[in-house]
Structures are given as C-alpha cells and as structure tokens.
C-alpha cells in the first residue's frame, strides 16, 4: 500500500500495479518528451482556433480545404445522423451495413478510377489491418524508411519479412527486391506514401510503379495527404498511376471529417471483406461521417474549391518563405517542415509564434528522428497573404532574436 493509501487518500498516480507505466511516463518526462492533451475549439471560420480562450491563427491543421467547418459539410453529417442514427449499431457483416456506405464506396471507386472501394473508421485502422490481410508470414513487405507509424505497425502485425527502402529511392527498392525478393512464394507488397506526412515531399510514384511491374509486386499507396487536394479533380496523386493496386485515402484531412477508404480491384475488395480484421470486427462507420464525406466529396469533385489555385498559392508560399530565409526543402506541398534540429529550438520557436497568435506545433522525437525536430507548418486554402506574411515575419523575428537557439534557415540538421 502506498503512503497516500495508508494516509487514507488516493495515490494520484493510481494503484501500484500501474507502476511500470508510471516509470515509463517519468522517463518520458525526464527526456522532456511527455505528451499531454490540450483542447482547441474551432472558430466558425477557418483557419482560426481558440485555445484557453485565446484566438490563434492555425498552421497546424490537416483541414487543408477548410471543410471541417463548412456549413454544408456539417449539415451533411447532421442530416445523415438524423436519418440513419448516431451509430451504425454493428459491423458491416452483421447488421451495420447501410445503403449509404455502399453508395459512398461506389462514388469513391469512380473518383479514384478503381473498381471498388471499402470504408474504414480511420486511416490508422486501415493500414494496421489491410497490410496483414494482404500479406502473411510467407510474404514480403517493402516500405519506405519514413513510412507513417500505422504502415510500420501493419507490416509488423502481418509477420511478413519487412524490408525498408531508403526514402524515395526506387533504385534501393529494386535492389532489395532483386536481392531478397526471390524465394518468397507469398505476396510481395510495396508500400509508400504519396506525400510524406512530416516532410511534405512526394514519392516518385511513376518509378516505384515501374519497379513493382518489373518484379510482379503489389503496390499500395497511402494518399492520406494528397486526396482532395492534388490531382486534376482532387482525386489524389495515386489515382493517375494505373499500376498502383491499392489506394488508401483518409477523410480526416482534406475532407474535414474522419474515417478512411481503400480503393482497389473488386477482387482485393472482396478479399478484404473476407479476411481483413479491421473491417470485419469493427462497427461500421457512423452515418454522420458518411454524410459529411459525401458532401465534402461532392465539393472536391465539382472543382468549386479551386484546389488548382490553392496549389499555385502553395508554390508561392514556398517561394515567400525561402525569400524570408526559411528553407522549406524537401517539400513542395502544403506540408512545410521548418527544420530546427534541436528539440529545444523547435519548442522555443513554437512558443515564440504562439505568443504572437500563431499556432505551429513543434514535432519532436519520437515522431521524428533525434536532431530533426521541426515545426510542421500546414498551409490551408483559407490562409490569406496576410496570414502568410505574419508567419514569415514572425519566423524571421525569431531568427533574429535567437540565432543560436534556433536556426530557421538552410543548414539546420534535417535528415537522420
Ligand atoms: C500517411 C498517413 N497515413 C495514415 C494516417 C492515419 O489516418 P487517420 O488519422 O485517419 O487515422 C495518417 C495520419 O496522420 C497519415 O499521415
């Protein structure tokens, strides 16, 4: 019994059987890497949020098109919740399947130019369950060294042999397939993201597709950060590459909602319906989510959001940041890593911005490798020239005041 319990009070750390967790948390705190929850309230108008009553200009949101607060998207969620209920009540294979799930899947299949699509409750759930459904211990998974955590988890759960190719390096991928790929009778699956979530750079999908073709391997592309924004009709970066067998898209980013889908040939879809635990053993996506995504997808496809102009503005923003002394490489997308190297520099810079009304959260190990801490700035359709000017000016003010604590320009250590 702890002293606190003996004293008649509750130990705030919980009972002794939680002590190993407590130790782990204490270690994180000693390394200054303890994460804690904060809450934000979206302002009705993107891109502002309220934190503890303070209005902040948000450069840390994945709501790239500002659809999370769009009145029609919200009404889409509300109307489907009114019509079909707050929840789907069961998994799709039990009694949770609704016609609205199938209608959305049909639309997503057309949108991504694939034969079929399947909804999931999140991108994380999709990656961690689709990879093990496609490849078992007799197979081989080759994924980019900087893959999202959910992709790596999916690969580990599959128990397949896992090989990681150098970031965006099709030659290394080819060498791995040539060297280790033989002798595997099972499925060989290549996995990459189209836009990398922390660096904002793009994968060479044409070259990776060629490697996949030469080796007869399956290719899965996680299009989480491209879908809705990139591609002629916002269909993402993978849709245009026929050799991509499986496209994974998420709704929690440009669609302003939550959930995910996997688009593929109908055979793969049927395989997932029968063998993918994350689909089979999970309550079907809630009607509200389907309603929001349906309206968001309509807007994305219609062109009314003018993603083309947004992408032009993203290119201008990179130019402007560079002129302001900020190295934005390797990104050429709406995700802009601002390299600071040391963790403390990233924290100092984020705090400096926040004091001036700008939210740009520091990303530190273990999310990124040690020595590569950064601000992950995400540009959204609602950011104006004035918003961008505020960001550039505040970053250069930080740089001029704290040259030794944080180097915001080229030269900061960025890669592992
Ligand atoms: C590349 C990538 N894949 C998957 C996910 C997970 O998606 P979700 O937020 O829908 O779980 C994320 C989210 O951060 C991501 O960046």
């Amino acid at each position: 019994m702890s002293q606190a319990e003996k004293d008649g009070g509750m130990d705030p750390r919980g009972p002794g059987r939680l002590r190993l967790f407590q130790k782990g948390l204490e270690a994180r705190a000693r390394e200054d890497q303890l994460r804690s929850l904060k809450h934000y309230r979206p302002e009705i108008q993107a891109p502002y949020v309220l934190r503890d009553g303070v209005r902040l200009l948000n450069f840390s949101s994945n709501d790239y098109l500002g659809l999370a607060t769009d009145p029609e998207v919200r009404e889409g969620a509300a109307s489907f919740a009114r019509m079909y209920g707050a929840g789907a009540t069961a998994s799709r294979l039990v009694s949770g399947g609704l016609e609205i799930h199938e209608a959305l899947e049909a639309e997503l299949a057309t949108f991504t130019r694939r034969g079929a699509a399947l909804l999931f409750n999140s991108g994380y759930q999709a990656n961690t369950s689709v990879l093990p459904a496609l490849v078992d211990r007799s197979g081989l998974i080759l994924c980019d060294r900087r893959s999202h955590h959910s992709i790596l988890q999916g690969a580990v759960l599959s128990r397949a042999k896992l090989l990681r190719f150098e970031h965006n390096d099709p030659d290394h991928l080819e060498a791995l397939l040539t060297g280790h790929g033989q002798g595997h009778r099972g499925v060989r699956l290549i996995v990459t993201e189209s836009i990398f979530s922390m660096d904002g750079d793009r994968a060479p999908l044409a070259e990776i597709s060629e490697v996949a073709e030469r080796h007869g391997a399956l290719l899965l592309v996680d299009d989480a950060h491209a879908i809705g924004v990139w591609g002629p009709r916002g269909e993402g970066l993978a849709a245009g590459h026929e050799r991509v067998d499986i496209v994974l898209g998420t709704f929690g980013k440009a669609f302003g909602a939550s959930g995910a889908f996997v688009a593929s040939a109908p055979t793969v879809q049927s395989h997932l319906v029968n063998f993918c635990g994350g689909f089979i053993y999970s309550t079907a996506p809630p009607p509200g989510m389907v309603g929001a995504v349906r309206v968001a997808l309509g807007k994305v496809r219609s062109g009314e959001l003018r993603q083309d102009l947004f992408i032009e503005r993203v290119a201008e923003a990179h130019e402007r940041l560079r002129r302001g002394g900020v190295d934005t490489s390797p990104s050429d997308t709406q995700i802009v890593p601002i390299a600071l190297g040391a963790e403390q520099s990233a924290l100092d810079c984020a705090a400096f911005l926040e004091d001036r009304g700008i939210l740009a959260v520091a990303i530190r190990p273990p999310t990124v490798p040690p020595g590569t801490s950064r601000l992950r700035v995400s540009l959204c359709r609602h950011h104006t020239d004035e918003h961008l000017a505020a960001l550039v000016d505040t970053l250069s003010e930080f740089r001029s005041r704290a040259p030794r604590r944080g180097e915001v320009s080229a030269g900061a250590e960025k890669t592992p």
Side-chain angles (χ1 to χ4, degrees):
M1 190 186 274
S2 72
Q3 193 55 47
E5 281 164 325
K6 280 187 210 144
D7 293 347
M10 285 292 286
D11 185 339
R13 292 169 306 172
R17 61 184 174 277
L18 304 185
R19 102 180 151 273
L20 281 178
F21 301 133
Q22 187 60 37
K23 279 188 163 177
L25 290 169
E26 283 162 8
R28 273 269 164 104
R30 274 196 303 281
E31 290 154 14
D32 211 13
Q33 288 181 348
L34 192 65
R35 290 160 162 162
S36 59
L37 298 174
K38 299 188 181 69
H39 68 264
Y40 299 89
R41 190 177 185 285
E43 286 257 288
I44 295 308
Q45 199 187 348
Y48 287 95
V49 278
L50 288 177
R51 191 165 102 194
D52 301 332
V54 179
R55 189 171 188 253
L56 296 170
L57 174 58
N58 193 358
F59 278 101
S60 280
S61 164
N62 294 324
D63 182 20
Y64 303 126
L65 299 174
L67 291 177
T69 49
D70 180 283
E72 287 166 15
V73 174
R74 295 199 229 198
E75 182 49 32
S79 69
F80 269 24
R82 277 195 297 272
M83 279 192 275
Y84 297 95
T89 75
S91 67
R92 294 280 291 279
L93 295 179
V94 179
S95 63
L98 299 168
E99 61 185 339
I100 55 172
H101 292 129
E102 286 180 28
L104 181 58
E105 285 168 346
E107 222 184 314
L108 288 163
T110 311
F111 179 54
T112 54
R113 288 179 246 153
R114 298 299 184 272
L118 199 60
L119 296 175
F120 285 80
N121 283 305
S122 78
Y124 197 97
Q125 187 181 27
N127 273 329
T128 51
S129 61
V130 167
L131 267 61
L134 295 174
V135 194
D136 64 16
R137 63 194 319 162
S138 69
L140 176 67
I141 296 181
L142 301 108
C143 61
D144 188 284
R145 189 161 279 288
R146 293 208 193 149
S147 292
H148 191 261
H149 187 258
S150 56
I151 294 175
L152 294 173
Q153 284 295 301
V156 168
L157 285 170
S158 76
R159 294 187 289 169
K161 180 168 180 175
L162 169 62
L163 298 173
R164 296 169 75 182
F165 56 93
E166 293 306 329
H167 179 54
N168 277 348
D169 186 345
D171 293 338
H172 188 225
L173 170 64
E174 174 113 53
L176 288 177
L177 270 164
T178 308
H180 301 265
Q182 316 303 334
H184 278 274
R185 282 170 296 113
V187 172
R188 289 179 302 162
L189 174 70
I190 300 168
V191 187
T192 185
E193 285 161 52
S194 56
I195 294 180
F196 284 83
S197 59
M198 291 296 141
D199 293 289
D201 54 343
R202 291 193 262 169
L205 292 184
E207 288 88 336
I208 291 177
S209 296
E210 282 167 22
V211 176
E213 181 63 19
R214 271 198 292 282
H215 290 267
L218 276 178
L219 175 56
L220 184 156
V221 173
D222 181 336
D223 224 6
H225 293 278
I227 204 102
V229 175
W230 291 80
R233 294 169 303 123
E235 68 272 43
L237 291 172
H241 294 273
E242 257 179 57
R243 188 54 180 75
V244 175
D245 299 290
I246 299 138
V247 179
L248 186 145
T250 57
F251 305 130
K253 306 183 194 310
F255 283 78
S258 74
F261 71 95
V262 170
S264 63
T267 307
V268 176
Q269 194 236 32
S270 300
H271 176 82
L272 295 177
V273 168
N274 284 279
F275 294 101
C276 179
F279 174 81
I280 300 168
Y281 302 109
S282 186
T283 300
M289 176 201 118
V290 178
V293 172
R294 184 174 155 269
V295 177
L297 181 58
K299 284 176 176 279
V300 161
R301 294 182 76 181
S302 73
E304 69 181 270
L305 303 172
R306 296 306 309 264
Q307 294 97 319
D308 53 340
L309 295 184
F310 173 50
I311 286 173
E312 276 175 26
R313 299 237 324 280
V314 164
E316 284 162 21
H318 276 272
E319 186 49 41
R320 202 151 155 189
L321 282 159
R322 275 195 288 271
R323 278 203 309 271
V326 181
D327 176 11
T328 65
S329 66
S331 168
D332 66 347
T333 67
Q334 75 278 12
I335 299 171
V336 186
I338 298 187
L340 287 139
E343 283 180 50
Q344 197 53 49
S345 305
L347 290 171
D348 288 348
C349 188
F352 187 86
L353 290 172
E354 196 169 322
D355 284 348
R356 286 149 188 82
I358 296 175
L359 181 69
V361 173
I363 309 285
R364 309 181 280 149
T367 303
V368 291
T372 72
S373 292
R374 66 197 69 182
L375 300 189
R376 178 188 181 274
V377 163
S378 43
L379 302 169
C380 299
R381 197 172 65 98
H382 288 73
H383 287 133
T384 61
D385 281 353
E386 289 70 36
H387 295 145
L388 195 63
L391 177 70
V392 175
D393 292 349
T394 315
L395 282 172
S396 46
E397 198 190 333
F398 173 76
R399 202 158 49 114
S400 61
R401 287 204 190 178
R404 278 198 219 105
R405 280 184 307 160
E407 194 61 45
V408 186
S409 59
E413 190 189 349
K414 269 214 313 222
T415 42

